[in-house]
Structure formats: C-alpha cells, structure tokens
C-alpha cells in the first residue's frame, strides 16, 4: 500500500508571504443585530492564531463564515489564495480539501466507529481509494492524534471527552489539510487533559507545518501555544498581535481579561514551563 495520504487540490499560486487567510471589511448581521462590522484580519501561514472575545462577539460566526458555512452581508475573504465567498464548485472544493475542522466535543457521527468517522472525508473526496487503504489511513490519523490503535473500532459513546476530541482531530487531519480550525478544543477537559491536548496540537502544528485558527477562552492554551492572539470586541478585531503586545493594548475588555488572577496564573505557568525547557 502507498504510505502517503491524498493531498488536497492545489490552490492558485500565491506569494509565499501572503497570509493563509485574508479578511477585509467583513459584515455579519442577524436581522437588526450586527455581529461584525468592517472586520479585518490576517492569519499568517504556519502560525497558531488564538481568537478570543466576550460572549456574543461572533467568534464561531467568524469561523463559519471563513469556512463558507455562512454568507456575510459584505466583505471579502481569501483562503490560501482562493475566494472563500465564490460560488464556483471548484473553488468550494479546493477550500474544503484544504481545511480541517474540529468542532466542540468532536461532533462525531454517533452511529459510526472512530475509524469510520475518520474515513468520511476520505470517502467524500477520494472515492477511488480502496477500502483497505482508507482503513489504514484512518488508523494512521487516529494514532497521529494520540489515540491507541484499537480506538478505531470504538463508538464515540465508548470514549471519554478527551478521547472524542482527539478522534475529532484525527478526522480533521484526514485529508492532510494545511489549515486547521478548532472551536474551543479544550472546553470541558480537566487541566491535565487540556495541557496534554495543547502539547499535541503544538507538536502536530510544527511537524506538519499547519496554520491553526483556534477559538478558545482557555488562558492556559493562549499562553502555552499561540503565536498571536486576535481579540474580537466592538464588532471587529481590535488587536491581533503576540501576547505581550495584546496585554499592553488599551481596551477595557482586553485589560480585564489579560490582567485578572487567571491570566496571572497562566503567565506564571508559562514562565515555569519555559524555564524547565
């Protein structure tokens, strides 16, 4: 059997320094409620970008809009050089093959085994693959996500919360996408499990050269693995920068969030880990 996983469709040529995701003037409304108004954001290639904001600031709405699951009222989005708002089937297919998504709690199909869940995108985008190849690729991704090999035959209901998230991550990596989207991946995990997931994500990002769009409220995750942090407030991104710059940014929500007792504890934990390394 060939050992290489199928590669995503080739995106249009773009400069090496072009952002993986480029958003300009984004507007999202639900009736009279304006969630985003003129939002701009660049996600750099090869970085882990943490996206934070208070309740109702539209973090998940932003992710869904980038993925083409929601049509905005205005603005432009480029994903790996492709117009994410295009109606052309080839453009939609290119983006789908280039992105992996981990929703909260894994969002696995409950009636399918872990292995069958991982095989879903392979069946959809590479139906020509023999069943034995799909099975072996699913096993590879399951192990890559830090699960034991026998997890492929288990149902989601037989897994712990942390294992379900890893199974969801395995499915997100099925097509070897260069872009990975995660929505609150450590929510509901105990501190030890959350830290282990953070380490796994950083290891995979470095080994596979992934660009990661990470929605989280977990301060430990932000300080442990994020290269930059984008803060949503006032219906836009008010700052997108490395954490030291974000901490100094003069905005009430930013100051409250990044200078409270939990943030101080996360900074101390990060400093201790850095000294240990």
């Amino acid at each position: 059997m060939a050992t290489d996983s199928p590669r995503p469709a080739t995106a249009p040529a773009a400069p090496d320094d072009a952002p993986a995701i480029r958003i300009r003037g984004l507007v999202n409304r639900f009736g009279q409620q304006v969630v985003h108004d003129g939002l701009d954001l660049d996600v750099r290639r090869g970085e882990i970008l943490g996206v934070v904001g208070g309740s109702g600031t539209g973090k998940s709405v932003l992710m869904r809009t980038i993925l083409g699951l929601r049509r905005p009222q205005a603005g432009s989005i480029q994903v790996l050089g492709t117009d994410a708002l295009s109606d052309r089937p080839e453009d939609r297919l290119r983006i789908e093959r280039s992105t992996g998504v981990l929703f909260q709690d894994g969002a696995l199909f409950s009636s399918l085994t872990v292995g069958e869940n991982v095989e879903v995108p392979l069946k959809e985008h590479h139906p020509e693959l023999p069943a034995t190849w799909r099975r072996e690729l699913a096993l590879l991704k399951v192990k890559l996500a830090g699960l034991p090999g026998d997890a492929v035959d288990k149902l989601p209901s037989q897994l712990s919360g942390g294992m379900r998230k890893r199974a969801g991550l395995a499915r997100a990596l099925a097509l070897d996408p260069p872009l990975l989207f995660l929505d609150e991946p450590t929510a509901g995990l105990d501190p030890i499990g959350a830290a282990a997931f953070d380490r796994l994500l950083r290891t995979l990002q470095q080994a596979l050269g992934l660009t990661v769009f990470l929605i989280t409220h977990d301060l430990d995750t932000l300080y442990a693995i994020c290269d930059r942090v984008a803060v949503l407030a006032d219906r836009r991104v008010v700052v997108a920068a490395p954490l030291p710059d974000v901490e100094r940014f003069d905005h009430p929500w930013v100051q409250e969030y990044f200078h409270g007792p939990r943030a101080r504890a996360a900074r101390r934990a990060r400093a201790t880990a850095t000294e240990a390394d």
Side-chain angles (χ1 to χ4, degrees), residues 36 39 50-60 62 183-184 213-219 222 229-239 246 251 253-254 257-258:
H36 303 134
L39 183 149
V51 179
V52 301
S55 178
T57 53
K59 300 181 291 295
S60 295
L62 176 60
D183 191 357
E184 299 283 8
F213 182 99
L214 169 64
I215 296 173
T216 186
H217 68 278
D218 191 329
L219 283 157
L222 293 174
V229 174
V231 178
L232 270 63
D234 305 328
R235 297 177 291 190
R236 60 189 176 90
V237 174
V238 295
V239 61
V246 173
H251 185 280
W253 189 89
V254 173
Y257 189 73
F258 287 99

Side-chain angles (χ1 to χ4, degrees), residues 152-218:
V152 294
D153 295 318
K154 294 184 178 181
L155 293 170
S157 61
Q158 296 175 297
L159 304 178
S160 67
M163 292 179 73
R164 282 196 300 272
K165 289 178 185 289
R166 289 175 183 252
L169 180 60
R171 186 177 63 185
L173 295 172
L175 297 176
D176 292 335
L179 267 173
L180 188 61
F181 291 81
L182 302 99
D183 191 357
E184 299 283 8
T186 58
L189 299 183
D190 63 82
I192 295 175
F197 194 94
D198 287 342
R199 289 193 297 270
L200 170 66
L201 182 58
R202 175 53 93 179
T203 298
L204 290 174
Q205 183 267 332
Q206 293 176 337
L208 303 178
L210 297 170
T211 300
V212 181
F213 182 99
L214 169 64
I215 296 173
T216 186
H217 68 278
D218 191 329

Side-chain angles (χ1 to χ4, degrees), residues 3-120:
T3 56
D4 291 336
S5 302
R7 302 303 303 177
T10 302
D16 290 340
D17 59 350
I21 302 171
R22 184 179 188 270
I23 304 170
R24 292 294 182 271
L26 189 69
V27 177
N28 273 308
R29 287 195 303 267
F30 295 90
Q32 297 300 312
Q33 181 187 7
V34 180
V35 179
H36 303 134
D37 189 11
L39 183 149
D40 297 337
L41 178 65
D42 285 345
V43 181
R44 299 170 182 169
R45 294 174 186 261
E47 75 171 345
I48 298 180
L49 177 73
V51 179
V52 301
S55 178
T57 53
K59 300 181 291 295
S60 295
V61 171
L62 176 60
M63 185 181 84
R64 291 173 61 84
T65 306
I66 297 170
L67 291 169
L69 301 176
R70 169 180 167 76
R71 189 83 180 179
Q73 276 68 36
S76 64
I77 304 174
Q78 293 281 323
V79 176
L80 298 174
T82 298
D83 180 4
L85 304 181
S86 170
D87 291 325
R88 299 199 320 162
E90 57 267 36
D91 290 337
R92 296 305 320 150
L93 181 62
R94 182 178 293 115
I95 291 176
E96 287 177 10
R97 289 185 174 182
S98 299
T99 53
V101 186
L102 173 60
F103 294 102
Q104 292 188 36
D105 200 38
L108 300 169
F109 296 107
S110 60
S111 61
L112 301 181
T113 66
V114 169
E116 290 168 341
N117 267 280
V118 178
E119 287 185 45
V120 167

